[in-house]
Amino acid sequence: MDKKVRVRFAPSPTGGLHLGGVRTALFNYLFARKNNGTFVLRVEDTDQNRFVEGAEEYIVNCLNWCGITPDESPANPGNYGPYRQSERKPSYRKFAEQLISDGYAYYAFDTPEELDAKRKDTPNFQYGQSTRMEMRNSLTLTISEVEDLLAAKTPHVIRIKVPENEIVHFNDLIRGDVSFETSLVDDKVLLKADGMPTYHLAVVVDDKAMEITHAFRGEEWLPSAPTHILLWKYLGWESDMPAWAHLPLILKPDGHGKLSKRDGDRLGFPVYAMNWTDPKTGDTTNGFKEMGFLPEAFVNMLALLGWNDGTDQELFSLKELEEKFSIDRISKAGAKFDFEKSKWYNHEWIKTQSAELLSPGVRAELQKAGIEVSDDKFLNTIIDLIKDRCNLLPDFVAQSGYFFTNPKEYDVASVKPKWTPEKAEFFNTFSETFSLNDAVSAEESFKALAAEKGFKPGELMLPFRIMLVGGKFGPGVFDIAVLLGVEETKNRISKAIEVFNH
C-alpha cells in the first residue's frame, strides 16, 4: 500500500455501545495492526439533540476493556485533531459554501411546518430531483431573495444537489462493484440550521482532513454511499477517497433482521459491551462485561461474527487475530447472533486462563454475594478446581460459595428416600476416624469403611456431597473435603445428619 494505513472508528455519543459498533471498531483495529497502520477514535457529536452526557467516556471504557485502544483519540491526540466533530465546526460551513459556489449544493429555507405539509400531501415524499423545484430554496428563489433571507439570518439548511440520471459506481472491499442510480438518491442535508454538519458532510470532510485510507462501517450505511462519493468528487478530493468496506449486519438469532437492544431485552441477553445507565431515566441496560464475560472471549466471539480465517479454528487471542485478519475473509452475508455460542466462547476462555488472571473477577463476584476472601492461595486453588464448570464469572459463586460458608439448604429430597439409620451410623464413624492428608487417601479410607459396613461406595457418595455442598454439584467430593479441612468437614457431616434424620 502506498499510503500509511489510517482507519477510524467514529461513534456518536448517544448511549450504549452495541456489539455491532464494537465489531466495527475491532475490524478497524485489526486491519490497522495487520498493516502497521493507525487506529483513530473520532467522536461524531454533531447531533446535539441526541448527545448524552457521559457517553464518550463510556465508549472509551468499552474499547479499553476490549483491549482495542485507539492510537489517536480526544484523550490521546495526534497531528490530525481535533478528534471531536463539534470542535471542527468552522471547517464544515466553509466546504458547504464551496459546494454552493460550484453548483453542487443549495440553500433550503423550507420551515419544518412546510416540510410536514409536503409530506402529508405527497406520499413517500423525498426532497430531491423531482420535488426540489416545488420547494423554497436557492434554486427557486431569485438571487436577491436569497441574499435578503441570508442577511436576515433566516433559518436554513444546505442540501447537496444530486445529479439526474447518473450511475455512481464504487468498489467495496467486501462486496465488489456496487452501483447506484442517482434518480433514487435524495438531496441530503449537509449543514443543519444550527450550523452543525450532518453525518454526510462531516464524515467526508473529516476523513479527508485525517487522511483516512480505509473506511469500515456497517452495511446499513450503504444507501448513503452515493452521497458521500459525490461529495468526494465535488470537493475535488476523489483521488484521496478512502477504500470502502461495508460490514455485514449482525442479525437476530432467527436470522430475520438486524439485532437490536429490544431483541436482547426480549430474549434475555445483552447487546451492549458494558452496562449503560441512561443519565436521564436512570434505566440500566446490561452489558457483556457485567454479565461475566471475559474481554478475550467477547472479542473472539465478535471477530467470528462475519469473519473466519478459512480454517476450523474458533479460539483466537487478540494477538492471533491481529496476525490472521484479512478483509477477503469477511462475509457478505449477515451473521446470526447466538448467545449460547457466546457463552461457549467464554467457557473455553475461562478454562484457558490461570487462576491468578481470573481471581480479580471471581473475587469481585464473591464480594457481590457477600463473601469476602482473605487467602489468595486458597482462592486460586478453588478457581483451578472449578473453572471447567463455569460459563460466566458469576457461576464461580454458585460453584464455590460452599467453600466459604456452610450450605444454607440441602437437597434433602435426593437423600431422604434412601436414608437409613445405618447410613447415619456410617457417617458418624467416618467423621470420627478419618484424616484428610490428601483426596486419594481420604477416598481410600471412605471406601474401606463402606466395605466394612456392607455398603457400596456409590450409595454413600451422593449423601456425602450434599452434606458438604448442599446439592448435587461441584468437583470431586474428596477434593472438596480436603480443602474444607478435617474440622469443617466433620462439622458439616454432623449438621447434615441432623437434617437428614428429621
Side-chain angles (χ1 to χ4, degrees):
M1 297 183 187
D2 297 327
K3 292 182 184 175
K4 179 176 169 60
V5 166
R6 288 179 58 80
V7 296
R8 44 66 175 174
F9 175 52
S12 299
T14 56
L17 187 55
H18 187 278
L19 57 90
V22 186
R23 189 192 61 174
T24 299
L26 173 64
F27 283 6
N28 272 289
Y29 171 90
L30 294 176
F31 185 75
R33 290 293 168 271
K34 180 72 180 285
N35 294 286
N36 196 30
T38 301
F39 171 47
V40 178
L41 172 65
R42 183 174 73 221
V43 178
E44 301 200 338
D45 59 348
T46 54
D47 191 341
Q48 294 298 296
N49 293 325
R50 296 180 63 222
F51 175 80
V52 177
E53 196 67 43
E56 181 184 322
E57 182 184 7
Y58 165 86
I59 290 165
V60 170
N61 289 340
C62 288
L63 297 181
N64 288 339
W65 175 64
C66 292
I68 52 177
T69 304
D71 302 304
E72 297 174 18
S73 68
N76 183 40
N79 298 324
Y80 297 85
Y83 290 83
R84 292 186 191 92
Q85 282 187 338
S86 59
E87 297 170 10
R88 306 174 71 91
K89 184 176 175 180
S91 66
Y92 303 118
R93 176 163 285 279
K94 178 181 75 172
F95 292 114
E97 298 281 3
Q98 178 187 320
L99 289 166
I100 290 175
S101 298
D102 294 340
Y104 297 125
Y106 57 93
Y107 299 109
F109 299 94
D110 317 277
T111 66
E113 293 75 21
E114 288 169 338
L115 290 170
D116 285 342
K118 192 70 176 175
R119 290 187 189 102
K120 284 176 186 170
D121 292 345
T122 310
N124 304 316
F125 169 73
Q126 274 202 150
Y127 203 127
Q129 297 153 43
S130 62
T131 58
R132 63 168 77 115
M133 299 310 290
E134 303 165 10
M135 309 302 289
R136 202 157 65 95
N137 55 52
S138 57
L139 303 176
T140 59
L141 300 169
T142 65
I143 293 173
S144 62
E145 285 174 323
V146 171
E147 288 175 348
D148 289 345
L149 287 168
L150 291 176
K153 294 190 166 28
T154 306
H156 64 276
V157 299
I158 294 177
R159 291 179 178 271
I160 185 173
K161 186 180 177 186
V162 176
E164 295 183 38
N165 304 318
E166 287 188 15
I167 304 291
V168 175
H169 282 277
F170 74 96
N171 180 62
D172 188 281
L173 296 174
I174 296 170
R175 295 157 200 284
D177 186 61
V178 179
S179 61
F180 291 89
E181 294 179 28
T182 58
S183 59
L184 302 175
V185 181
D186 59 331
D187 291 353
K188 294 272 191 297
V189 174
L190 302 180
L191 204 72
K192 293 178 283 189
D194 63 1
M196 280 292 194
T198 60
Y199 172 78
H200 307 294
L201 178 62
V203 72
V204 172
V205 171
D206 290 346
D207 281 352
K208 164 66 173 170
M210 292 184 166
E211 298 183 13
I212 299 302
T213 60
H214 297 76
F216 291 80
R217 59 186 184 180
E219 179 186 322
E220 62 268 33
W221 287 107
L222 259 176
S224 300
T227 300
H228 301 164
I229 288 161
L230 287 171
L231 286 172
W232 279 96
K233 178 182 174 184
Y234 292 163
L235 288 165
W237 302 336
E238 202 168 6
S239 62
D240 294 322
M241 185 170 70
W244 301 95
H246 288 85
L247 304 173
L249 295 176
I250 297 178
L251 304 174
K252 303 173 195 277
D254 64 7
H256 299 303
K258 182 182 175 183
L259 181 71
S260 70
K261 175 182 171 295
R262 195 176 295 109
D263 297 314
D265 294 341
R266 178 172 55 88
L267 298 170
F269 56 73
V271 297
Y272 288 169
M274 292 168 60
N275 278 9
W276 166 253
T277 301
D278 188 311
K280 293 177 183 172
T281 65
D283 293 339
T284 295
T285 305
N286 292 333
F288 280 85
K289 177 180 185 285
E290 290 77 8
M291 184 167 268
F293 276 80
L294 303 180
E296 295 87 351
F298 180 63
V299 165
N300 190 163
M301 174 272 291
L302 276 186
L304 271 72
L305 279 174
W307 174 88
N308 67 75
D309 73 337
T311 73
D312 292 331
Q313 183 176 340
E314 291 190 276
L315 296 181
F316 293 87
S317 67
L318 188 56
K319 202 74 190 159
E320 286 177 298
L321 290 170
E322 290 173 16
E323 293 166 0
K324 298 192 175 187
F325 182 77
S326 61
I327 294 179
D328 59 359
R329 296 298 312 174
I330 297 175
S331 170
K332 295 184 187 69
K336 285 195 285 189
F337 177 71
D338 182 342
F339 186 55
E340 292 306 310
K341 184 71 174 182
S342 300
K343 289 195 289 187
W344 176 84
Y345 280 111
N346 208 54
H347 176 65
E348 294 301 313
W349 270 98
I350 283 174
K351 288 196 301 187
T352 67
Q353 299 283 54
S354 69
E356 286 76 15
L357 285 174
L358 290 170
S359 64
V362 173
R363 187 184 292 277
E365 294 297 336
L366 290 169
Q367 284 172 341
K368 283 187 214 168
I371 299 169
E372 294 292 337
V373 184
S374 56
D375 188 335
D376 291 343
K377 186 177 178 184
F378 182 59
L379 178 60
N380 288 345
T381 302
I382 290 166
I383 289 172
D384 278 330
L385 192 62
I386 65 172
K387 66 183 182 181
D388 285 9
R389 301 169 179 273
C390 299
N391 291 322
L392 303 167
L393 288 180
D395 294 345
F396 279 91
V397 177
Q399 292 289 343
S400 71
Y402 54 82
F403 282 111
F404 308 102
T405 58
N406 284 314
K408 292 182 174 61
E409 296 177 351
Y410 297 93
D411 183 3
V412 177
S414 296
V415 176
K416 200 79 170 170
K418 295 183 179 179
W419 184 251
T420 63
E422 290 76 21
K423 285 184 180 177
E425 184 197 347
F426 167 84
F427 280 105
N428 277 321
T429 304
F430 179 67
S431 179
E432 291 166 6
T433 59
F434 83 111
S435 63
L436 293 173
N437 295 321
D438 58 68
V440 174
S441 63
E443 185 172 2
E444 286 172 354
S445 64
F446 185 92
K447 288 180 175 178
L449 183 61
E452 182 185 318
K453 298 289 186 182
F455 289 109
K456 293 178 181 175
E459 297 176 71
L460 303 167
M461 297 287 260
L462 180 61
F464 188 32
R465 175 178 295 280
I466 291 173
M467 287 173 173
L468 299 186
V469 308
K472 297 186 287 186
F473 59 89
V477 69
F478 296 101
D479 291 316
I480 296 170
V482 168
L483 281 168
L484 290 174
V486 173
E487 289 309 311
E488 182 61 24
T489 299
K490 286 182 176 182
N491 289 339
R492 294 194 184 191
I493 290 173
S494 174
K495 185 180 175 186
I497 288 173
E498 285 183 32
V499 174
F500 296 166
N501 282 341
H502 276 74

